[in-house]
Amino acid sequence: MPELPEVETVRAGLAGHVLGRRVIDVHVHGTRVARRHDGGEADLVGRLRGRTLTAAVRRGKFCWLLLDEPGEALLLHLGMSGQILVRSADHGEPAAPHLRARLDLDDGSALDFVDQRTFGYLAVPDLVPTADGGPGGLGSDVPALPAQVAHIARDLLDPWLDRVALAAAIRRRRTELKRALLDQTLVSGIGNIYADESLWRARLHGARPTDALRPVEVARVLDAAAEVLAAALAAGGTSFDAMYVDVDGASGWFERELAAYGRAGLPCPRCGTPIRRESFANRSSYSCPRCQPRPRRGAR
DNA sequence: CCCGGATCCTGCTGGC
DNA sequence: TGCCAGCAGGATCCGG
């Protein structure tokens, strides 16, 4: 689920429902949730208890809540399967099967972190200054971000992203275009689904060598990616209500609007040619054989 | 420094 | 029916 549009939906939900709330207590389930927090589970809980959540910020697929303790934040990463659920005081739901952490808040509500595959995590890192002096991410003007996020590039919905510099950096790389799109240190927020959708829109094959791309092609795929992310966000953003921050992009955007991803054998919406599935770096890539011709070895 | 592959988990699906 | 290989939307770490 969680690529940029899904994480932004979470961030917006958190901004609307938990800011100003104080953390009364924290319950951690399992050994993996706190594995990326330096002081371990007990320290994580200790640093959160009594703190007030003051802002919800996102860069790429990373989301964090600023704390009233200056220079600290609660960092959330959803991994492959993470969800954030905001439970109202009277929700009455049983705990989700893969509940990994619960924060009890001072109005009786709770913030649940649910994660089947346990690649997600919580941490309370120190904040470090941003390299460009701009805000750490969307949702805050503070020019600081969690230490673990310092190497993560800005994303395509961030006004501080320098598109010209990004395009130049992509063409300087010696790799394949899809790898570059997935490289969070170049541009963040794009995962396997939206990489394929962006490449389809731009009519480029993901195996195209980045250093042989024409500038107009790089611009086209970046425009396409920005459009896809914005459209997915608009679709995903419609589906959460007051007590549930929805991470389930699958129900809305996923099934109806994808042109290539997961559609092996189905007709390309542009030309009708059956979409192909290829294996790439231990995962699947979907593309149109006609609109997105595979590059010849060594050539563009 | 840059690049690519292996790796951390759990659960579901599809083929035999 | 039952079993098991294969696969799933991510980031990090390590070797070349």
Side-chain angles (χ1 to χ4, degrees), chain A residues 141-209:
Chain A
D141 290 330
V142 179
L145 74 182
Q148 290 98 320
V149 188
H151 68 292
I152 301 294
R154 293 188 180 276
D155 59 68
L156 284 162
L157 301 186
D158 185 335
W160 277 73
L161 174 75
D162 183 343
R163 278 255 203 134
V164 174
L166 170 59
I170 289 174
R171 296 181 66 228
R172 240 182 281 123
R173 284 290 175 96
R174 296 182 59 85
T175 187
E176 297 177 353
L177 178 54
K178 182 166 176 180
R179 288 183 185 281
L181 293 177
L182 293 173
D183 184 343
Q184 307 295 303
T185 68
L186 269 177
V187 58
S188 65
I190 302 174
N192 202 36
I193 292 179
Y194 297 117
D196 279 2
E197 291 300 300
S198 304
L199 290 164
W200 179 84
R201 270 201 196 209
R203 302 186 307 282
L204 294 169
H205 194 283
R208 292 280 299 274

Side-chain angles (χ1 to χ4, degrees), chain A residues 22-273:
Chain A
R22 193 160 49 86
V23 178
I24 300 301
D25 203 0
V26 180
H27 311 273
V28 172
H29 307 283
T31 57
R32 289 182 51 82
V33 198
R35 72 190 185 284
R36 303 238 172 239
H37 177 76
D38 279 344
E41 178 185 323
D43 186 68
L44 176 77
V45 172
R47 282 172 190 269
L48 285 173
R49 209 176 265 148
R51 297 276 71 85
T52 296
L53 310 171
T54 62
V57 196
R58 180 193 57 74
R59 175 184 290 216
K61 304 169 200 171
F62 289 80
C63 181
W64 61 96
L65 294 163
L66 295 181
L67 306 178
D68 57 343
E69 181 71 23
E72 286 196 351
L74 167 58
L75 178 64
L76 315 164
H77 198 289
L78 302 178
M80 295 277 254
S81 55
Q83 286 181 295
I84 300 291
L85 305 174
V86 178
R87 306 293 209 179
S88 69
D90 57 354
H91 70 84
E93 301 282 327
H98 301 291
L99 181 66
R100 306 301 179 192
R102 168 169 287 179
L103 276 63
D104 296 325
L105 305 180
D106 62 353
D107 62 351
S109 70
L111 194 161
D112 282 1
F113 176 61
V114 177
D115 185 17
Q116 180 205 110
R117 290 176 68 190
T118 75
F119 289 166
Y121 62 89
L122 306 184
V124 180
D126 290 331
L127 298 182
V128 299
T130 54
D132 56 13
L138 183 67
S140 156
D141 290 330
V142 179
L145 74 182
Q148 290 98 320
V149 188
H151 68 292
I152 301 294
R154 293 188 180 276
D155 59 68
L156 284 162
L157 301 186
D158 185 335
W160 277 73
L161 174 75
D162 183 343
R163 278 255 203 134
V164 174
L166 170 59
I170 289 174
R171 296 181 66 228
R172 240 182 281 123
R173 284 290 175 96
R174 296 182 59 85
T175 187
E176 297 177 353
L177 178 54
K178 182 166 176 180
R179 288 183 185 281
L181 293 177
L182 293 173
D183 184 343
Q184 307 295 303
T185 68
L186 269 177
V187 58
S188 65
I190 302 174
N192 202 36
I193 292 179
Y194 297 117
D196 279 2
E197 291 300 300
S198 304
L199 290 164
W200 179 84
R201 270 201 196 209
R203 302 186 307 282
L204 294 169
H205 194 283
R208 292 280 299 274
T210 46
D211 57 346
L213 288 168
R214 287 143 53 204
V216 66
E217 293 174 321
V218 178
R220 209 199 303 155
V221 76
L222 293 180
D223 287 346
E227 289 166 12
V228 169
L229 294 173
L233 176 58
T238 59
S239 54
F240 65 86
D241 66 29
M243 27 196 98
Y244 182 79
V245 180
D246 189 7
V247 197
D248 185 31
S251 55
W253 165 262
F254 194 106
E255 315 203 77
R256 263 178 260 117
E257 303 193 45
L258 293 181
Y261 184 86
R263 291 175 41 87
L266 297 172
C268 166
R270 197 162 39 213
C271 76
T273 306

